[in-house]
Amino acid sequence: MDYFIILLERLEGEQMKEAIRIRRVTAIDEIHAVQKLEKQIWNMEPIPVHQTITAVKNGGLIVGAFAGERMIGYSYSFPGFSEGQSYLCSHMLAVDHEFQSMGIGRLLKEEQLRLAREMGYELIVWTFDPLESRNAYLNTAKLYGVSYEYIVNCYGELEDGLNKGLPTDRFQLAWWINSPRVKEQWQPSGIDYICPFQIALANHQHPVLQRTEGKDWLTSDAIEVPVPKHIQRIKVDNPELALDWRMKTRELFQQLCNEGYALINVRRTEETVQYYQFFRLSEVPLSE
């Protein structure tokens, strides 16, 4: 398997798709494999098989990634309904630790999109941690989703490795899969983003968010907010600083969402932060 992992690291695009099989999962034994992977990655009791099978039989969807016969990743989603709109709620996406950072998560989402269109869905939603900039980049810059709802402590206090130590605040991601935003990979052009924030460096050279005073920053159509590149490292080295990032960005992101902005992109840098780009939601083409 080590040789296979080295091979995958050298593959991109269509070659990766040929090496890793991505397909719908419905068989009970494969759903048990989903459970095993879920427990391995999150170190908690998995969703009962009777629940996932029932969801799959009633508008839900499981997509698996396979290296040979071994399941190395999956996405799990179930149907949702709110305010007259049906949608697919994408609850979990996981990739085996050995195979992370190889683009497999994106392949799972692309197959989820294709199958969801076949099933008649127009919208897929899921949540992600606003301080996990790698996830934000995939969701907005690669998949062309948008986030315009911020949920405070969405899941309460969790004790797994990724979530322990911080309130589980979440952005809800809206993936309008038939919209020009997704189909045409729309991003605004000729736009200057303002960034009314500064970054200092704390111990261990971790970034500290500082507000620039005296600027009416909500008058711009396009705003950038810095977010740590490695929040998990900050949680280990400086838990108080990690909480400071949570609380400061919570206030900012709530304000932006309440004022009609949406997260639409992430500008990556070689610095200690990435920059989340917010744009007026009314200007984003989310309908056909």
Side-chain angles (χ1 to χ4, degrees), residues 1 4-5 8 16 19-22 33-34 37-38 40-41 63-75 93-100 102-105 107-108:
M1 188 60 69
F4 190 72
I5 293 171
L8 288 180
M16 176 69 80
I20 298 294
R21 291 181 298 120
I22 309 291
V34 167
L37 196 53
E38 179 184 346
Q40 170 192 323
I41 291 173
V63 179
F66 295 84
E69 297 302 315
R70 175 183 170 186
M71 180 181 288
I72 61 169
Y74 73 92
S75 71
L93 186 145
V95 177
D96 190 298
H97 295 298
E98 293 182 68
F99 295 86
Q100 291 180 1
M102 296 181 183
I104 295 171
L107 295 180
L108 285 165

Side-chain angles (χ1 to χ4, degrees), residues 2-30:
D2 289 342
Y3 170 78
F4 190 72
I5 293 171
I6 293 171
L7 174 63
L8 288 180
E9 290 174 341
R10 299 174 180 172
L11 299 181
E12 296 180 357
E14 293 302 318
Q15 290 179 318
M16 176 69 80
K17 290 182 180 179
E18 292 177 5
I20 298 294
R21 291 181 298 120
I22 309 291
R23 60 173 174 80
R24 193 172 196 157
V25 169
T26 58
I28 292 177
D29 61 333
E30 291 181 337

Side-chain angles (χ1 to χ4, degrees), residues 189-287:
S189 59
I191 298 295
D192 292 325
Y193 286 84
I194 70 165
C195 181
F197 310 98
Q198 293 179 346
I199 295 297
L201 293 179
N203 294 337
H204 305 283
Q205 298 298 296
H206 290 313
V208 179
L209 181 65
Q210 297 179 333
R211 180 80 169 267
T212 302
E213 300 297 336
K215 291 187 177 180
D216 190 5
W217 57 288
L218 288 175
T219 60
S220 173
D221 289 335
I223 297 169
E224 285 190 334
V225 178
V227 169
K229 187 179 291 186
H230 302 295
I231 186 61
Q232 295 298 330
R233 294 181 191 174
I234 298 176
K235 284 171 62 176
V236 172
D237 294 339
N238 192 336
E240 291 184 358
L241 178 57
L243 182 60
D244 183 70
W245 270 105
R246 173 67 88 214
M247 304 312 292
K248 285 180 178 177
T249 54
R250 172 191 288 181
E251 179 185 356
L252 295 170
F253 293 152
Q254 282 185 303
Q255 189 172 7
L256 285 163
C257 291
N258 290 339
E259 293 292 330
Y261 292 86
L263 172 61
I264 64 165
N265 198 17
V266 177
R267 179 169 64 88
R268 304 176 92 178
T269 75
E270 298 299 320
E271 305 167 12
T272 58
V273 294
Q274 315 282 35
Y275 288 87
Y276 285 11
Q277 295 185 328
F278 289 82
F279 195 67
R280 294 283 183 188
L281 177 61
S282 59
E283 302 299 319
V284 182
L286 297 182
S287 59

Side-chain angles (χ1 to χ4, degrees), residues 1-201:
M1 188 60 69
D2 289 342
Y3 170 78
F4 190 72
I5 293 171
I6 293 171
L7 174 63
L8 288 180
E9 290 174 341
R10 299 174 180 172
L11 299 181
E12 296 180 357
E14 293 302 318
Q15 290 179 318
M16 176 69 80
K17 290 182 180 179
E18 292 177 5
I20 298 294
R21 291 181 298 120
I22 309 291
R23 60 173 174 80
R24 193 172 196 157
V25 169
T26 58
I28 292 177
D29 61 333
E30 291 181 337
I31 294 178
H32 279 289
V34 167
Q35 268 199 324
K36 182 178 178 181
L37 196 53
E38 179 184 346
K39 188 171 184 177
Q40 170 192 323
I41 291 173
W42 279 292
N43 192 28
M44 61 183 183
E45 288 303 310
I47 299 172
V49 169
H50 64 77
Q51 169 64 35
T52 49
I53 290 175
T54 302
V56 166
K57 290 181 177 180
N58 292 275
L61 178 63
I62 298 177
V63 179
F66 295 84
E69 297 302 315
R70 175 183 170 186
M71 180 181 288
I72 61 169
Y74 73 92
S75 71
Y76 165 60
S77 51
F78 53 83
F81 185 86
S82 179
E83 299 180 355
Q85 172 75 52
S86 60
Y87 52 87
L88 192 63
C89 183
S90 186
H91 184 54
M92 285 185 169
L93 186 145
V95 177
D96 190 298
H97 295 298
E98 293 182 68
F99 295 86
Q100 291 180 1
S101 301
M102 296 181 183
I104 295 171
R106 182 177 179 181
L107 295 180
L108 285 165
K109 297 304 292 186
E110 289 175 348
E111 182 65 4
Q112 182 188 56
L113 177 148
R114 187 186 71 80
L115 292 170
R117 282 177 176 158
E118 287 184 357
M119 297 167 72
Y121 288 107
E122 296 185 356
L123 173 64
I124 304 175
V125 304
W126 65 90
T127 61
F128 68 96
D129 189 329
L131 294 180
E132 292 287 356
S133 57
R134 184 172 67 174
N135 293 345
Y137 180 77
L138 170 64
N139 293 338
T140 61
K142 295 296 185 181
L143 301 178
Y144 295 92
V146 294
S147 291
Y148 42 84
E149 182 179 354
Y150 190 93
I151 307 171
V152 173
N153 205 22
C154 180
Y155 301 114
E157 302 302 319
L158 297 179
E159 294 299 316
D160 63 282
L162 288 175
N163 293 292
K164 184 177 182 180
L166 289 181
T168 55
D169 290 21
R170 294 293 185 264
F171 268 129
Q172 178 151 298
L173 196 286
W175 202 18
W176 293 94
I177 58 178
N178 294 321
S179 69
R181 161 71 174 168
V182 174
K183 285 188 170 182
E184 300 170 17
Q185 301 183 345
W186 181 90
Q187 291 282 17
S189 59
I191 298 295
D192 292 325
Y193 286 84
I194 70 165
C195 181
F197 310 98
Q198 293 179 346
I199 295 297
L201 293 179

